[in-house]
Amino acid sequence: MEREKITLTGVPETLLSTLYARAVDSRSRHSLLHDRTALDTVRRVDYDFRRTGMTSVNAAGVALRARCLDDWTAEFLARHPRATVLHLACGLDTRAHRVARFPETRWIDVDLPEVVALRNRLLPPADGDHRTLATSVTADGWLEELPADRPVVAVLEGLVPYLRQEDGERLIRRITAHFPGGQLLFDCLNGLGVRAQRLIPLFRRTGATLHWGIDDPRALERLHPGLTCLDVIRGCDLPGVRRIPPLSRAEARLTSLVPGLRDVFRLVRFEFPAGEGR
Ligand SMILES: C[S@@+](CC[C@H](N)C(=O)[O-])C[C@H]1O[C@@H](n2cnc3c(N)ncnc32)[C@H](O)[C@@H]1O
């Protein structure tokens, strides 16, 4: 089998780390995601996955976060089957394959052009109303051109800390202004997590830089009238944490005991109402 040589660097290269984590999870008897496509994709690329520094202990954490975002997405779709799913910074993630969609659900996977090109070569297309869009999420125009006829669930996994605060806040403002209501689901690091980034081998090796640390996710409610924070869940308290392998569970437990560390990584869910005139 001819393997796809990976030439990504910087932030796009970090998608190999989360892909690998899902592959490791899928091989575990404690698997949360059962993402066989991730395992197949890992086998089809020519890349030294040791660069990711990913171990089975932290792979379980990535799987937990993905599982929670999958479940929140599915919950939203169960209430709004015709919704648009805006999956930003999709990387090589197959959320569209994992989450139960409805025939009328519209799914849009978005990432940078070099990532979307790789994705199109490596991943099978998802069925139903599914498309990929090659753009930087911070570029002008692309979002405003999307149909705004349905509520949206925007899923941003592994993206927000890489954005500059002004770009991230502008993105949230654009999504909430454009769509007739919906939810925003994302993971974030606090300021300490961003300041400590050079301790993490992945960032040293790829050269990716984290910019935006969010100490108080609820403060983002000011970005749009009616934007409401429904959930802030610490990484160490995510649903499913009792099902991960014992060593990963022990790490989560230790993190939860250290005040400075327990808020480093969190998942958040926001809801926003339809704007005036909708
Ligand atoms: C850690 S990876 C996460 C990928 C995927 N969400 C996952 O969990 O496997 C970070 C992703 O953010 C994407 N990304 C970073 N900045 C971006 C931007 N400005 N516009 C679109 N995608 C971006 C990268 O290309 C990469 O795919």
Side-chain angles (χ1 to χ4, degrees):
M1 176 179 58
E2 179 94 16
R3 292 192 303 155
E4 174 85 30
K5 178 106 190 124
I6 299 293
T7 54
L8 300 173
T9 56
V11 180
E13 188 182 350
T14 64
L15 69 83
L16 278 315
S17 161
T18 41
L19 170 71
Y20 187 58
R22 290 188 296 276
V24 170
D25 168 79
S26 82
R27 276 193 313 229
S28 160
R29 64 192 175 88
H30 299 273
S31 179
L32 292 166
L33 297 173
H34 307 284
D35 191 341
R36 300 293 303 180
T37 314
L39 192 57
D40 292 344
T41 310
V42 159
R43 290 184 176 136
R44 291 178 54 215
V45 299
D46 179 1
Y47 181 73
D48 180 2
F49 282 96
R50 284 172 303 189
R51 277 173 67 75
T52 65
M54 186 61 66
T55 63
S56 57
V57 174
N58 41 27
V62 174
L64 263 184
R65 141 181 126 177
R67 180 58 197 263
C68 181
L69 292 172
D70 284 1
D71 290 348
W72 281 350
T73 308
E75 261 177 48
F76 188 85
L77 290 180
R79 282 194 289 128
H80 306 279
R82 286 189 75 252
T84 297
V85 181
L86 196 55
H87 188 209
L88 303 183
C90 56
L92 291 176
D93 184 288
T94 46
R95 173 156 289 119
H97 300 249
R98 291 195 306 268
V99 169
R101 288 179 292 148
F102 295 86
E104 59 270 42
T105 305
R106 177 191 292 140
W107 192 291
I108 307 173
D109 277 322
V110 183
D111 209 303
L112 298 168
E114 68 263 40
V115 173
V116 167
L118 178 68
R119 187 181 168 92
N120 290 342
R121 291 196 294 275
L122 283 172
L123 292 181
D127 41 46
D129 185 353
H130 173 263
R131 56 189 271 221
T132 46
L133 197 60
T135 179
S136 168
V137 296
T138 60
D140 289 334
W142 67 273
L143 197 148
E144 291 68 20
E145 284 168 19
L146 298 177
D149 53 342
R150 307 170 180 193
V152 73
V153 55
V155 190
L156 299 73
E157 181 174 10
L159 172 67
V160 165
Y162 294 112
L163 299 176
R164 292 187 184 277
Q165 179 172 351
E166 60 272 25
D167 290 332
E169 292 192 351
R170 179 167 170 262
L171 180 62
I172 292 173
R173 285 202 169 94
R174 289 168 71 196
I175 295 170
T176 49
H178 184 65
F179 289 98
Q183 291 189 349
L184 303 173
L185 318 177
F186 59 89
D187 55 293
C188 56
L189 294 176
N190 67 6
L192 175 64
V194 170
R195 286 193 297 279
Q197 60 185 290
R198 290 298 150 211
L199 299 176
I200 311 289
L202 175 71
F203 302 128
R204 287 201 305 272
R205 289 174 191 152
T206 59
T209 302
L210 303 170
H211 295 286
W212 190 15
I214 302 178
D215 287 327
D216 177 11
R218 291 180 201 279
L220 299 177
E221 289 182 345
R222 71 185 149 72
L223 295 176
H224 183 78
L227 181 63
T228 306
C229 184
L230 301 179
D231 296 284
V232 179
I233 308 188
R234 293 176 175 137
C236 51
D237 294 333
L238 283 170
V241 76
R242 291 208 182 86
R243 290 174 44 205
I244 61 179
L247 264 181
S248 314
R249 212 161 53 225
E251 192 195 46
R253 176 98 186 100
L254 266 180
T255 308
S256 73
L257 295 174
V258 184
L261 283 185
R262 59 182 167 222
D263 287 330
V264 162
F265 176 73
R266 288 173 288 186
L267 278 196
V268 297
R269 169 159 60 169
F270 284 87
E271 190 155 66
F272 64 101
E276 272 175 37
R278 298 237 187 225

